[in-house]
Amino acid sequence: MSRRKEDLGSVMALAFSEILRRMSVEEKKIFAQTVDLTELEELKIADVAADEKRRVGDPKFYVGTTPGGGLSLELPVDKVVECIETLPAFLSSTQIKLLILGNGEWIEFFCSESDFPDILRKHTQSIIEAGVMIDFDASNLVSGGGGCISLDLKKPSPEVTREIAGKFLEICGFKHRFRKDEFSAVVWKDILEVTE
Amino acid sequence: MKNEVKAAIAFFRVMIEHTQKGYEPSPPHILKRMIRPLCSELAKIEQRGTKNDAWDFVEGLSAECRRLR
């Protein structure tokens, strides 16, 4: 019933704006004298306020599930290596392949889980400034630097995805236990906003 | 698959992911972290890639597009 009312309201608004469009200048003058335009002005202001609430810019932290199964991340640069270091434990990969961007070319490294932190720390600057690609068996991480990371989990278990997101959040100084399969968390002005 | 092809596809994926976020990333962020890296990999493919590399790239982009549906 209320849906029909909404539909009718929208038809009335469209019809009314069409009538206004067809009015002559003289008719519009008479119309303007007979109605109180304050309410209409207030509605316009409310629209502008809604526009101002749009989130524009780059947050301090972001994690969100992606359509194909994985995580999209924006991490503080000083936490990037610490976060990536934890991934082998979640992804239980036997061999790790790293491609680190140096002077515009990809330099390859193969290592075990135990050597992984050393390689990351040795190349921290390139990883956070230029870029890195890491293969953990089927899963893959890519970053163009600046803490902007995409983690493509080939056989994504929702539990593991939630755990990785929670761990990264914790490393960056926030705490939340994700419960659903699709979620996002963003930090604006040191305030964590979670959507699940 | 060559590293530059793989990287180019991955940066395209990162761009798609930025359209799914609940906020609007800044244009400099998109330029610096996605478009410039993608351009750099495309230049490598153009300079020293084969027709197979070009085809791998197109197939990779299509696979990313399918994940959106």
Side-chain angles (χ1 to χ4, degrees):
Chain A
M1 190 71 181
S2 66
R3 181 64 191 255
R4 281 183 61 112
K5 265 186 184 172
E6 279 170 24
D7 291 347
L8 189 63
S10 129
V11 169
M12 281 170 69
L14 284 171
F16 191 62
S17 66
E18 182 60 22
I19 291 167
L20 271 176
R21 196 181 66 80
R22 292 181 186 209
M23 278 180 179
S24 67
V25 176
E26 282 311 308
E27 286 167 333
K28 279 180 184 165
K29 275 182 188 169
I30 297 166
F31 172 75
Q33 283 163 10
T34 54
V35 293
D36 176 10
L37 298 175
T38 315
E39 189 189 353
L40 295 178
E41 279 303 318
E42 280 170 0
L43 286 171
K44 249 188 185 175
I45 291 163
D47 270 359
V48 171
D51 237 24
E52 281 169 358
K53 275 188 185 168
R54 275 169 55 218
R55 296 290 197 190
V56 182
D58 305 312
K60 183 178 174 184
F61 175 93
Y62 172 87
V63 62
T65 47
T66 57
L71 289 169
S72 178
L73 298 142
E74 301 294 341
L75 302 175
V77 284
D78 60 331
K79 300 289 183 189
V80 168
V81 166
E82 198 180 337
C83 286
I84 295 176
E85 266 181 14
T86 65
L87 285 173
F90 292 108
L91 303 173
S92 51
S93 46
T94 45
Q95 198 183 38
I96 303 165
K97 179 185 174 187
L98 291 102
L99 291 159
I100 297 172
L101 210 50
N103 294 326
E105 294 297 330
W106 294 105
I107 304 158
E108 275 186 10
F109 301 88
F110 291 90
C111 68
S112 61
E113 191 178 329
S114 57
D115 296 331
F116 186 58
D118 285 343
I119 296 179
L120 289 178
R121 292 192 181 274
K122 201 172 167 187
H123 298 275
T124 298
Q125 217 50 27
S126 298
I127 290 168
I128 61 173
E129 279 174 15
V132 66
M133 283 199 290
I134 307 173
D135 289 339
F136 303 93
D137 292 335
S139 297
N140 165 268
L141 174 147
V142 67
S143 171
C148 178
I149 292 170
S150 167
L151 182 61
D152 186 19
L153 300 167
K154 277 293 181 248
K155 288 174 191 163
S157 130
E159 189 58 37
V160 169
T161 309
R162 286 193 289 265
E163 281 177 13
I164 294 171
K167 183 69 184 172
F168 282 15
L169 195 56
E170 190 187 323
I171 290 170
C172 296
F174 294 87
K175 220 168 172 69
H176 180 78
R177 189 159 173 243
F178 296 101
R179 292 171 199 283
K180 301 218 171 139
D181 293 356
E182 288 179 14
F183 57 81
S184 70
V186 64
V187 175
W188 294 101
K189 292 179 185 167
D190 286 331
I191 295 167
L192 175 67
E193 294 172 13
V194 177
T195 311
E196 289 193 83
Chain B
M1 188 185 286
K2 284 185 184 158
N3 291 336
E4 47 266 40
V5 176
K6 195 175 168 183
I9 296 164
F11 287 126
F12 178 70
R13 180 179 90 217
V14 178
M15 267 201 285
I16 290 178
E17 287 174 0
H18 278 69
T19 67
Q20 310 288 310
K21 299 183 177 185
Y23 65 91
E24 297 170 33
S26 71
H29 179 75
I30 294 169
L31 182 69
K32 197 171 178 188
R33 303 303 172 195
M34 286 152 261
I35 296 187
R36 284 209 193 285
L38 174 60
C39 293
S40 160
E41 300 309 314
L42 287 178
K44 288 180 210 167
I45 297 169
E46 191 183 20
Q47 279 166 20
R48 57 193 186 213
T50 62
K51 283 182 182 173
N52 275 347
D53 294 333
W55 184 244
D56 283 348
F57 174 63
V58 172
E59 276 191 328
L61 296 192
S62 287
E64 293 302 330
C65 294
R66 279 194 294 276
R67 293 167 74 170
L68 258 178
R69 287 172 204 152

